[in-house]
Amino acid sequence: MVSHTPHAPARQSLTRAERLDRLPFTRAHGKLLGGSGIGWALDAMDVGLISFIIAALGQEWGLTATEQSWLASVGFVGMAIGASVGGLLADRIGRRQVFALTLLVYGLATGASALATGLVMLIVLRFVIGLGLGAELPVASTLVSEFAPRRIRGRIVVILEAFWAVGWIAAALIGNFVVAGDNGWRWGFVIGMVPAFYAIYVRLGMPESVRFLERKGRVAEAEAAVRVYESAAGQEPVPSPVVTEDAAPPHWRQLWTARFRRRTAALWVVWFGVNFAYYGAFIWMPSLLIAKGFSLVASFEYTLIITLAQLPGYALAAFLIEKWGRRATLAGFLAGSAVAAVLFGQADTVPTILAAGMALSAFNLGAWGALYAVSPEIYPTALRGTGSGSAAAFGRLASIIAPLAVPWFIRSGGSGVAFVAFGVAFVLAMVGALFLPEYRGVALEEE
């Protein structure tokens, strides 16, 4: 009789994306989330600082409302260009490379703004800052989304977006304790150049997207990156099929083919509405409070309190996005934002201003978290950065228009008219959200 020794069962073959999706949340994920999040917070600090600096310069330099509007809007012109170009570059040269470069560009330009001698010089530097800032945000969310385990991907991206609140709160603190003082706006810009130094860490310490590496034929690097995360989870690697290089460069025109047309249109509508309402309201908030008769210091203090409400908004969105799904969470928070915006426009006492402002802050920033979770999910790997960046770029057109429109709204009927307009923009975004595909618990598309 011949005995046969049984063979060990062959290990199941999984793609590298599937190997990442099966993992629990590990210290490696935490490092990526923290590293991206700190960059995100520094971005928010820069954007938030300009709202306080505009209010201070309005008094120190005697700027007109129109001049203040251009100072607010020119950064968003840069952001629109940066988001479009940055997303395309992320799909061509890599997420990490673009992330680090954008941090460096806007960090150095922010520091140089401290030396501005007049409005024209400051406007030019704000444009350069916008180029870097606009390119960074969609790239960071794409990178984190591509590493996050499938079952909690949305929640992780919302947590990433929650770092925006940390940065905006930091801006409010700097506004209260630094910008409000004599020549304090210059020191505020000096603090804002911290991202330039952080860019060095980003370049050396963060991984490149595994999906991007595979599409570029850099299989050994992709495998090494996956094994870092498997090791952190205490899991043995399994075989992955051979991936052939796809050298076809992405182009934004692909976003409007029959397959992607509906989702692209819906996403662009959401980005436009949210940008118009958010930047119209929050960039002008300290100045609008001053117009209501509050002092510079008091307006900064109230803005800080309102800003703190962003944190519970993000927390609730992070919980609901894996319970309700992306579409319902985004639409629900946008509906809440619309109601809160109208109420804030009618508020005329400190308690009602703070209550409505905090509700607007919580609902609006929760919606932002859900939007950043949705945006990279609805496109395949080759178009993920391009799709997210193009939607962000289109949205930045609204962020250019909104600060310029606020003085016209005020002249037409006061802050109440302005915030009704913001409420309408939120409703428009909510309608767009209802037409987005739902990707809760679904693997990211590769092709």
Side-chain angles (χ1 to χ4, degrees):
M1 179 183 294
V2 179
S3 61
H4 297 277
T5 303
H7 294 285
R11 290 183 294 174
Q12 181 184 6
S13 177
L14 298 173
T15 67
R16 292 180 182 86
E18 290 170 338
R19 287 161 62 186
L20 288 173
D21 274 342
R22 69 180 179 143
L23 299 177
F25 188 84
T26 67
R27 290 179 63 184
H29 292 100
K31 182 179 179 181
L32 174 62
L33 180 59
S36 301
I38 292 172
W40 202 290
L42 292 169
D43 287 358
M45 185 177 75
D46 184 276
V47 175
L49 269 175
I50 197 61
S51 66
F52 296 94
I53 289 171
I54 285 172
L57 287 179
Q59 295 187 351
E60 184 175 327
W61 285 1
L63 301 181
T64 66
T66 300
E67 289 171 332
Q68 292 180 61
S69 296
W70 278 110
L71 187 56
S73 290
V74 71
F76 298 116
V77 175
M79 288 176 75
I81 298 171
S84 180
V85 175
L88 192 63
L89 286 176
D91 284 334
R92 294 195 179 207
I93 67 174
R95 284 63 161 137
R96 183 179 66 174
Q97 301 276 45
V98 176
F99 189 26
L101 178 62
T102 56
L103 284 166
L104 187 63
V105 167
Y106 94 79
L108 291 175
T110 299
S113 298
L115 305 175
T117 55
L119 182 62
V120 173
M121 180 179 177
L122 192 54
I123 284 176
V124 171
L125 287 169
R126 289 305 302 172
F127 173 77
V128 177
I129 290 168
L131 289 175
L133 180 62
E136 189 276 325
L137 296 177
V139 173
S141 60
T142 297
L143 180 62
V144 171
S145 183
E146 290 181 330
F147 272 100
R150 179 173 61 191
R151 66 189 176 280
I152 56 172
R153 183 177 62 238
R155 183 166 297 159
I156 289 177
V157 177
V158 174
I159 293 172
L160 168 67
E161 230 285 294
F163 279 87
W164 185 269
V166 176
W168 202 280
I169 290 168
L173 290 171
I174 295 169
N176 270 277
F177 297 108
V178 179
V179 177
D182 293 337
N183 250 354
W185 63 272
R186 294 188 187 275
W187 290 107
F189 278 132
V190 170
I191 295 171
M193 72 179 297
V194 170
F197 302 100
Y198 180 69
I200 300 172
Y201 165 79
V202 170
R203 178 64 182 85
L204 297 177
M206 293 180 66
E208 181 55 270
S209 164
V210 170
R211 291 169 168 87
F212 168 80
L213 291 171
E214 285 188 329
R215 295 194 69 84
K216 295 300 180 182
R218 295 157 62 180
V219 177
E221 293 176 66
E223 179 66 24
V226 173
R227 292 196 178 193
V228 168
Y229 282 76
E230 288 176 328
S231 176
Q235 294 191 11
E236 291 293 325
V238 297
S240 289
V242 176
V243 179
T244 57
E245 180 179 354
D246 180 4
H251 196 284
W252 67 268
R253 282 196 296 267
Q254 294 172 255
L255 303 175
W256 295 99
T257 57
R259 177 183 173 189
F260 301 116
R261 190 178 300 135
R262 174 173 167 166
R263 67 184 72 177
T264 296
L267 188 65
W268 284 30
V269 167
V270 179
W271 270 91
F272 189 92
V274 173
N275 270 274
F276 184 88
Y278 175 74
Y279 287 107
F282 283 90
I283 289 294
W284 272 96
M285 187 168 288
S287 298
L288 290 174
L289 290 174
I290 290 173
K292 286 178 177 286
F294 297 106
S295 69
L296 181 69
V297 173
S299 72
F300 284 7
E301 289 176 350
Y302 297 156
T303 303
L304 172 59
I305 293 170
I306 289 170
T307 300
L308 290 172
Q310 294 181 11
L311 293 172
Y314 280 125
L316 184 60
F319 173 76
L320 292 176
I321 200 162
E322 301 295 358
K323 297 292 184 181
W324 289 1
R326 281 73 162 130
R327 188 166 49 212
T329 301
L330 179 56
F333 274 77
L334 288 169
S337 299
V339 173
V342 174
L343 292 176
F344 185 84
Q346 304 304 315
D348 56 5
T349 65
V350 172
T352 56
I353 286 171
L354 292 179
M358 291 174 73
L360 176 60
S361 188
F363 279 117
N364 194 182
L365 276 297
W368 270 116
L371 180 57
Y372 270 104
V374 168
S375 298
E377 287 186 336
I378 65 175
Y379 296 106
T381 297
L383 282 175
R384 193 162 293 130
T386 302
S388 298
S390 296
F394 185 73
R396 298 307 175 196
L397 297 178
S399 63
I400 296 166
I401 297 168
L404 294 172
V406 168
W408 183 84
F409 288 139
I410 299 299
R411 289 193 298 270
S412 299
S415 61
V417 170
F419 279 88
V420 166
F422 300 149
V424 171
F426 280 130
V427 171
L428 177 68
M430 181 191 70
V431 172
L434 297 176
F435 288 90
L436 290 171
E438 178 59 60
Y439 272 79
R440 180 180 61 159
V442 179
L444 294 176
E445 296 180 57
E446 298 300 323
E447 300 293 338

